Amino acid sequence: MDRERGESEDNLDYSVANVEKALHQLYYDPNIDNKNLAQKWLMQAQVSPQAWQFSWALLSPNKVPEIQYFGASALHIKISRYWTDIPSDQYETLKSQLFNQIACFSSGSKIVLTRLCVALASLALNMMPDRWPNAVGDMVKMFQTESSDVDGKARCMALLELLTVLPEEFQTSRLPQYRKGEVRNALAQESSVVFPLLQQLLQTDSPVFISQKALKCFSSWVQLDVPLLDCECLMQASFTSLHNAELFDTAVEALVNAISQPDAQRFLAILLNLADSAAIREMGEHRYVNTLLKLIPQVLQLQEQLRQAVQNGDMETSHGICRIAVALGENHSRALLEQVEHWQTFLALVNMIMFCTGIPGHYPVNETTSSLTLTFWYTLQDDIMSFEAEKQVVYLQVYRPVYFQLVDVLLHKAQFPSDEEYSSWSSDEKEQFRIYRVDISDTLMYVYEMLGAELLSNLYDKLGRLLTDSEQASSWQHIEACLYGFQSIAETNDVNYSDVIPGLIGLIPRINISNVQLADTVMFTIGALAEWLADHPVMINSVLPLVLHALGNAELSISSVSTLKKICRECKYDLPPYAANIVAVSQPNPSNKLAIIHILGLLSNLFTTLDISHHDDEPEGTEAKKKPTLQGPNPVVVVLQQVFQLIQKVLSKWLNDAQVVESVCAIFEKSVKTLLDDFAPMIPQLSEMLGQMYSTIPQASALELTRQLVHIFANDPTHFVPVKALFLLVTSVTLSIFQQGPRDHPDIVDSFMQLLAQALKRKPDLFLAENCDVKALFQCGVLSLKFPEAPTVKAACAFFTELLPRCREVQPIGLVVHENGKLLLQATLEAIGGQAPRSLMDHFADILFALNKHCFTYLSIWLKEVMQQQNFPSSRLTQVQKETFSQQILRDRVNKRRIKDIVKEFTLLCRGLHGTEYAAEY
């Protein structure tokens, strides 16, 4: 079989026997590779010309359903995708064959019958309206004709199946856009044939399975933009079917589809646009609204069935009825609002939906209905607020009380269950409840736009009563839900001018926080009010202790850290007095890594605001700025001394954690930049800690901090010893990284080169130390020049441009350069010759300039030697070109700009780009 499939696709390849073998392999072969091979081959077979032959054979009555199904599917694919390949004189034959097969399978396999119906539906859509103008009518006649071979019920089910799949096939068909409009109109007109048939089947004592199929067929057809008023009779029949438990779900689907179909809203607009007289427009509007007004009483009549379902815990029934009510209210609220004389009828529907919103039980464990209603409340509010001001006033008189009631209902629904019940929920149920509460939060935020400040006053009064009523103890769930309402509104709305916020801030400390969920909500509420606190800093002390206390609880780390971040961001200029408290509260239990990292980050940001002076890193080549010494202890130093204790505890647990180390380095880097000389007393401690961190887990952030210390303190004799010890330690550790292979650590190499350059600039004496291996550092620099990362290469070039001028003053450097300078020159010329990007050429030119200026005698010898190598630095160069370049370099010892121009010209020659348009544009 596999060999045959690998052969060329001739007529024998896709034979009936081969198709059957492949299907057997697909369904029954345990080997997944064989299954995949069979599936791929069968997909090719379905689209092959031979499909027209084997499809009919596979439908033979003696075949198993899997084989018959493949035959029917192949026919559908050929008709739907390759319609233009079918000769027009074959249309009628194909139609007849499909009708016959559907008749045969009307009492056979249902999946095969459905596929054949889909194939005939595709045929009809491609032939409508010109070649088969009365397609649906012909289908009905064909199956209503008596046949001795097929009983009446089977024929009826086959017809209903065909009529059901016809609109569905239209929705997914590949018809060109212009054809889609034609076919849609033709189908919409054919509903006049389908609907009476369905109505007849639903009004007689038809078997349940036929009524169910008729409802599904109706549900399918209404999605073809059939005008709502044409559906009245069938919708009435669907409402009646709701009382039959076996038909309930199907009837709900049909009603929701009929009410929600896009044309239900669009029909009136189309009618008004097309109407050529005011009388016709008025009549159309009247008919549309009249249909809607007839629907409301029918929906309201379901209230008793809804209450019974809720009482009996029948979630499926309550869910279905709610869907119908919401569909009517959500899709037609504006049209129904405009019927002012019927306002009580619509209000009754709104109240029914309110009942569904407040349905007893906890979502999603005891009920799944309330969430369906939330979008309705958005829609109704939008429609009310879209009316002109005069009408708005009228509607708000009716609906503001409704929305205040809605707030009460939503706060009730947002309440957590008892601790015992909540602990029994699955993780999935808890997550669904969390999302449900977020939806409630969004709704409350939206409702605030309508109710405004009065809503906040309402919530404040509720919370005040809950916290001050001495006669009746309130459950934490009530308090939490009320606070959650505040948080929902304050998070996204500007409540800074509300006169109840000071009272709320005063109430929060009175809350007895005995539960994690309540504590979380308290935290998030405080966070939502951070902007208000920034305008009223005197109130920070009322709530900050609560946040700091929560930091010690691992269960509250997310909410407390989030809230502290917001407060620090919004109130940073008012927090310095509390910085010591933030550190102090973190020390007893530094167990939560996430919380600790965030706290360290917050403190590092605070250090820039603790002091009046702000100092950025000085430009290269300038002396470190000296900050005037303040009278009395600097507040940053006081806090930092406490921070040291905290960090020592943190590092004792997470010294191997890169994220923690980076956070620790960040806090000290900012404090060093802020304090400058005032940081001096802490240098021995920090140098020791930094050395310990870098020895354990080398990280670029530790090198950056070391560079800061070298930059600011290496020139001060008082601090030279600890800074020198730190420099030599990190140098030794980094050299071991180079020995093991540095390519995986370009960030460390980059920062290390910057550190060496800074050390050469600020304190070259560091390279005089006995255990400073200058030769190894030189070789590391040469290796770094060959890295693929541009920042690393730039840093290595900067290292050499600082090192070469020290040849005379620092003997170890001079010795190493004289012994190894040729290697540096070779690496530089290799980069210029094409191994480094052209964008870096100026940096390599700086190295040549430094060599020329400080090692001229050696450079002239090295240049002559390296340029004699064949194909160096590029196979494109002639010996004359290389000699010319060498002479140009040696001739210019003072003009750096000229050297850069020479290097740019030379690198173009090396790359074969000299004189090209590409080079000119660069």
Side-chain angles (χ1 to χ4, degrees):
M1 178 65 204
D2 291 345
R3 182 185 59 78
E4 289 175 350
R5 253 181 266 159
E7 295 171 357
S8 62
E9 293 186 9
D10 53 25
N11 289 336
L12 294 175
D13 201 15
Y14 296 123
S15 65
V16 173
N18 281 350
V19 172
E20 290 195 41
K21 285 178 187 176
L23 285 166
H24 188 274
Q25 193 170 320
L26 177 66
Y27 284 113
Y28 302 112
D29 194 319
N31 187 306
I32 190 68
D33 291 333
N34 289 343
K35 283 180 180 288
N36 291 338
L37 186 64
Q39 184 176 32
K40 184 178 178 181
W41 186 86
L42 287 166
M43 289 171 69
Q44 293 169 343
Q46 280 187 316
V47 300
S48 70
Q50 291 78 35
W52 287 117
Q53 282 76 52
F54 68 66
S55 293
W56 302 109
L58 295 178
L59 289 168
S60 174
N62 62 342
K63 306 291 184 186
V64 295
E66 291 89 347
I67 290 175
Q68 294 170 333
Y69 179 83
F70 183 78
S73 293
L75 285 172
H76 172 243
I77 287 173
K78 296 298 287 183
I79 294 168
S80 61
R81 297 189 193 173
Y82 303 97
W83 175 254
T84 54
D85 295 346
I86 305 172
S88 57
D89 60 358
Q90 295 294 312
Y91 293 169
E92 290 301 322
T93 305
L94 188 54
K95 183 200 304 183
S96 178
Q97 287 176 301
L98 285 170
F99 268 125
N100 289 336
Q101 289 292 344
I102 290 171
C104 291
F105 278 92
S106 59
S107 300
S109 169
K110 296 302 178 200
I111 59 168
V112 181
L113 172 64
T114 299
R115 214 76 208 130
L116 287 167
C117 288
V118 172
L120 181 55
S122 184
L123 178 80
L125 294 172
N126 278 292
M127 292 177 68
M128 292 172 70
D130 299 333
R131 293 183 177 274
W132 196 0
N134 301 309
V136 177
D138 290 349
M139 292 175 185
V140 173
K141 286 176 189 173
M142 184 68 71
F143 285 94
Q144 284 181 336
T145 304
E146 290 292 337
S147 171
S148 57
D149 299 332
V150 184
D151 73 12
K153 289 179 181 177
R155 279 187 286 110
C156 182
M157 286 297 285
L159 173 60
L160 288 173
E161 183 66 24
L162 179 56
L163 294 177
T164 301
V165 301
L166 184 58
E168 293 169 357
E169 178 67 8
F170 171 77
Q171 305 290 0
T172 58
S173 67
R174 301 186 176 194
L175 293 170
Q177 202 58 43
Y178 78 95
R179 287 271 296 128
K180 273 218 164 190
E182 290 178 356
V183 176
R184 180 188 289 276
N185 292 335
L187 282 173
Q189 291 173 11
E190 296 274 30
S191 66
S192 62
V193 177
V194 178
F195 283 12
L197 171 67
L198 299 180
Q199 196 173 330
Q200 182 184 354
L201 291 172
L202 287 169
Q203 286 178 346
T204 56
D205 294 330
S206 301
V208 168
F209 63 89
I210 286 183
S211 297
Q212 199 164 53
K213 198 66 189 171
L215 287 167
K216 284 183 179 176
C217 187
F218 171 49
S219 184
S220 179
W221 274 81
V222 294
Q223 295 178 64
L224 287 173
D225 288 356
V226 179
L228 190 64
L229 46 89
D230 290 353
C231 303
E232 273 190 38
C233 294
L234 280 172
M235 290 177 75
Q236 176 61 58
S238 300
F239 275 110
T240 304
S241 300
L242 290 171
H243 299 289
N244 184 327
E246 293 179 87
L247 299 177
F248 181 83
D249 290 341
T250 318
V252 167
E253 206 62 40
L255 284 166
V256 169
N257 283 341
I259 293 168
S260 306
Q261 54 154 318
D263 185 66
Q265 300 98 345
R266 203 164 55 227
F267 173 72
L268 179 60
I270 293 171
L271 187 67
L272 297 181
N273 287 337
L274 294 177
D276 55 6
S277 74
I280 294 176
R281 287 197 295 273
E282 188 176 339
M283 181 182 70
E285 183 176 359
H286 176 74
R287 289 181 64 197
Y288 167 73
V289 171
N290 201 36
T291 303
L292 287 179
L293 292 174
K294 286 179 186 176
L295 286 174
I296 295 181
Q298 291 178 301
V299 174
L300 294 176
Q301 284 174 9
L302 301 173
Q303 287 184 99
E304 185 54 38
Q305 189 178 355
L306 173 63
R307 288 193 181 90
Q308 287 292 326
V310 170
Q311 193 173 333
N312 298 331
D314 180 358
M315 285 198 277
E316 287 77 13
T317 300
S318 58
H319 197 83
I321 294 174
C322 177
R323 284 184 65 201
I324 296 168
V326 168
L328 182 57
E330 198 173 301
N331 288 284
H332 306 280
S333 62
R334 185 174 181 89
L336 291 168
L337 279 169
E338 288 180 327
Q339 309 313 305
V340 180
E341 66 275 19
H342 298 283
W343 68 272
Q344 289 176 310
T345 307
F346 183 48
L347 184 58
L349 177 67
V350 171
N351 285 329
M352 182 179 177
I353 295 172
M354 182 75 77
F355 175 83
C356 295
T357 305
I359 207 161
H362 284 102
Y363 182 94
V365 178
N366 313 113
E367 65 91 5
T368 55
T369 299
S370 57
S371 63
L372 299 174
T373 66
L374 298 180
T375 311
F376 164 75
W377 298 110
Y378 286 110
T379 305
L380 179 60
Q381 180 175 327
D382 270 346
D383 287 333
I384 290 172
M385 303 307 284
S386 69
F387 285 110
E388 56 271 24
E390 290 181 8
K391 280 190 175 180
Q392 256 189 54
V393 173
V394 177
Y395 289 120
L396 288 174
Q397 283 180 344
V398 176
Y399 288 102
R400 273 176 65 87
V402 172
Y403 274 88
F404 274 114
Q405 183 189 351
L406 174 66
V407 171
D408 291 342
V409 169
L410 291 177
L411 292 180
H412 179 74
K413 293 298 295 182
Q415 286 181 23
F416 280 88
S418 67
D419 294 336
E420 183 181 0
E421 184 182 345
Y422 190 65
S423 64
S424 71
W425 286 12
S426 68
S427 58
D428 182 58
E429 287 169 338
K430 289 177 179 177
E431 176 60 12
Q432 286 188 59
F433 182 60
R434 184 193 68 78
I435 294 169
Y436 174 67
R437 278 171 49 100
V438 171
D439 291 340
I440 286 177
S441 174
D442 291 343
T443 308
L444 289 170
M445 170 205 72
Y446 203 69
V447 169
Y448 176 75
E449 292 182 20
M450 176 189 276
L451 301 182
E454 195 177 343
L455 173 56
L456 291 178
S457 300
N458 183 286
L459 291 173
Y460 174 66
D461 291 344
K462 279 186 173 61
L463 185 62
R465 285 195 297 272
L466 290 170
L467 293 174
T468 57
D469 190 345
S470 56
E471 295 181 7
Q472 187 174 356
S474 301
S475 69
W476 71 263
Q477 288 94 337
H478 282 82
I479 295 168
E480 190 279 335
C482 193
L483 210 55
Y484 185 68
F486 263 115
Q487 175 205 326
S488 303
I489 294 164
E491 262 180 339
T492 48
N493 291 284
D494 182 7
V495 296
N496 283 6
Y497 300 102
S498 170
D499 55 3
V500 304
I501 302 302
L504 172 63
I505 296 288
L507 284 176
I508 286 176
R510 300 183 62 166
I511 297 173
N512 179 21
I513 303 177
S514 56
N515 178 278
V516 171
Q517 285 85 16
L518 175 57
D520 268 334
T521 303
V522 169
M523 289 299 106
F524 286 127
T525 304
I526 294 171
L529 297 171
E531 197 176 324
W532 185 91
L533 289 169
D535 293 335
H536 306 81
V538 71
M539 302 297 286
I540 292 174
N541 196 43
S542 299
V543 291
L544 188 60
L546 293 173
V547 180
L548 298 181
H549 179 71
L551 285 172
N553 186 337
E555 290 183 294
L556 302 177
S557 61
I558 293 176
S559 59
S560 58
V561 169
S562 168
T563 298
L564 188 58
K565 280 175 71 175
K566 288 181 179 178
I567 293 175
C568 287
R569 184 178 67 241
E570 298 293 341
C571 313
K572 59 184 179 180
Y573 296 111
D574 303 298
L575 284 186
Y578 305 101
N581 294 354
I582 295 173
V583 178
V585 80
S586 307
Q587 291 196 51
N589 183 28
S591 57
N592 187 293
K593 187 180 83 170
L594 176 67
I596 289 297
I597 288 171
H598 280 302
I599 290 165
L600 292 176
L602 294 169
L603 288 170
S604 69
N605 289 329
L606 273 179
F607 286 148
T608 59
T609 61
L610 277 164
D611 201 27
I612 298 170
S613 302
H614 296 274
H615 297 274
D616 296 322
D617 198 8
E618 288 76 19
E620 298 294 331
T622 63
E623 289 294 316
K625 294 177 184 175
K626 299 295 182 182
K627 186 175 68 61
T629 305
L630 299 176
Q631 296 298 316
N634 189 304
V636 183
V637 176
V638 174
V639 175
L640 269 176
Q641 287 167 344
Q642 290 182 306
V643 167
F644 257 105
Q645 298 171 30
L646 169 63
I647 287 174
Q648 284 167 345
K649 287 185 179 181
V650 171
L651 289 178
S652 68
K653 186 169 185 176
W654 287 304
L655 187 58
N656 287 300
D657 191 295
Q659 199 177 5
V660 171
V661 169
E662 189 168 349
S663 297
V664 169
C665 290
I667 194 169
F668 284 115
E669 187 176 0
K670 284 200 176 182
S671 56
V672 167
K673 285 181 180 180
T674 302
L675 287 168
L676 299 179
D677 286 351
D678 281 351
F679 190 86
M682 311 182 77
I683 287 175
Q685 273 182 291
L686 178 57
S687 298
E688 184 182 349
M689 182 186 291
L690 197 50
Q692 184 187 13
M693 286 192 295
Y694 194 72
S695 301
T696 307
I697 177 166
Q699 204 162 327
S701 55
L703 290 171
E704 289 297 316
L705 180 52
T706 303
R707 185 168 68 88
Q708 288 293 330
L709 293 177
V710 168
H711 175 60
I712 298 172
F713 297 107
N715 254 340
D716 190 330
T718 313
H719 309 301
F720 180 69
V721 174
V723 171
K724 175 185 173 183
L726 174 62
F727 174 78
L728 293 173
L729 176 61
V730 298
T731 298
S732 173
V733 172
T734 311
L735 286 175
S736 68
I737 292 175
F738 271 89
Q739 289 169 358
Q740 296 162 15
R743 278 293 169 91
D744 294 335
H745 308 283
D747 56 335
I748 288 178
V749 174
D750 181 357
S751 296
F752 184 56
M753 290 294 121
Q754 290 187 53
L755 169 62
L756 295 179
Q758 187 71 267
L760 286 162
K761 184 187 294 187
R762 300 292 293 159
K763 193 67 175 175
D765 290 358
L766 289 167
F767 289 79
L768 289 170
E770 287 183 21
N771 48 351
C772 181
D773 191 341
V774 179
K775 182 178 179 181
L777 295 178
F778 187 94
Q779 290 170 338
C780 289
V782 172
L783 187 60
S784 303
L785 289 175
K786 301 177 181 181
F787 266 54
E789 292 82 10
T792 305
V793 176
K794 288 180 185 177
C797 290
F799 161 59
F800 283 114
T801 55
E802 291 293 343
L803 179 120
L804 293 170
R806 270 62 181 189
C807 285
R808 289 188 179 85
E809 63 184 272
V810 182
Q811 186 182 6
I813 293 176
L815 188 61
V816 167
V817 170
H818 296 160
E819 291 177 356
N820 299 273
K822 184 178 172 182
L823 288 175
L824 171 61
L825 175 64
Q826 184 143 334
T828 302
L829 291 175
E830 284 172 354
I832 295 169
Q835 290 189 9
R838 286 167 59 200
S839 59
L840 295 174
M841 290 305 103
D842 280 358
H843 300 279
F844 286 104
D846 287 341
I847 295 178
L848 286 179
F849 182 78
L851 281 168
N852 203 9
K853 189 171 183 180
H854 303 286
C855 311
F856 176 75
T857 305
Y858 287 99
L859 177 62
S860 59
I861 298 169
W862 296 333
L863 265 174
K864 189 173 183 180
E865 290 176 357
V866 297
M867 285 302 194
Q868 284 176 352
Q869 300 174 68
Q870 192 173 1
N871 296 327
F872 179 88
S874 167
S875 59
R876 295 185 174 90
L877 296 175
T878 65
Q879 193 61 38
V880 173
Q881 288 172 322
K882 291 198 280 188
E883 288 173 3
T884 302
F885 170 71
S886 299
Q887 291 167 6
Q888 287 175 323
I889 291 294
L890 294 170
R891 197 161 43 236
D892 272 297
R893 299 182 61 189
V894 293
N895 190 338
K896 186 185 286 190
R897 182 69 262 163
R898 174 66 183 147
I899 293 290
K900 290 182 178 180
D901 291 339
I902 293 168
V903 167
K904 284 182 180 177
E905 286 291 312
F906 188 63
T907 196
L908 292 174
L909 286 171
C910 293
R911 298 166 199 257
L913 296 173
H914 194 271
T916 64
E917 185 179 345
Y918 174 72
E921 290 175 355
Y922 184 76

